[in-house]
Amino acid sequence: MKRLMAMLALTLMLWGLSFAPASAAIPDDVQKLLDTKKCQVCILNDADLSNADLKGANLKIAVLSGANLAGADLSGANLMLSELEGANLKGASLVGAQMNGANLPNANLSGADLSNTEMTQANLTDADLTDANLSGAVMLSVTLGTANLKGANLKGANLRGVNRSMVLFCNTTMPDGAIENRDC
């Protein structure tokens, strides 16, 4: 009976830990990413990856909440279903990246190059996309909330199914090439 109770307690403890949020990057995951550019389902919270060469990296389902990716090259990277809440991607290159289903609420993407990026059903609620290049991006059913798109370039972007009613637009190039100044 004692053995059964001990196993039950251990099982419950491990089960509870599996649902606990990770608070910091796992150092081995950071090194694995830098060495191989492959780190699916990795924990990279708050990691400093600023200016890193992550071109073509596989970060599918990775957790990068609060990570610093400012100036990083993520061109052609796979960030599908990744968690990037509050991440700093200021000035990052995400040209042609796969970001379908990625979660980026409150992320800083100001000045980022997201041209030709696939981001269907991504969550960009309240993200800062000031001066971002989203030309040719596929943004089907993206959630924007009150995202800041002031100065952004959306020329040729596909925004089908996107609610833009609360988005901030000022000197924003819209998909048809027209300039929107609704919130200047």
Side-chain angles (χ1 to χ4, degrees), residues 132-183:
N133 181 5
L134 293 147
S135 61
V138 178
M139 301 174 70
L140 302 173
S141 301
V142 167
T143 303
L144 292 171
T146 58
N148 185 348
L149 283 157
K150 292 180 177 180
N153 179 5
L154 295 163
K155 188 167 185 172
N158 187 338
L159 299 173
R160 207 168 353 151
V162 176
N163 180 349
R164 299 179 253 171
S165 64
M166 296 177 6
V167 176
L168 301 175
F169 295 117
C170 179
N171 197 32
T172 305
T173 305
M174 300 306 284
D176 63 0
I179 302 296
E180 177 66 56
N181 286 313
R182 179 180 76 192
D183 301 302

Side-chain angles (χ1 to χ4, degrees), residues 28-48:
D28 288 345
D29 284 353
V30 174
Q31 197 58 52
K32 177 183 176 182
L33 173 63
L34 295 173
D35 290 346
T36 68
K37 295 187 184 181
K38 295 177 185 173
C39 206
Q40 292 185 33
V41 196
C42 285
I43 306 297
L44 301 163
N45 289 326
D46 301 318
D48 185 2

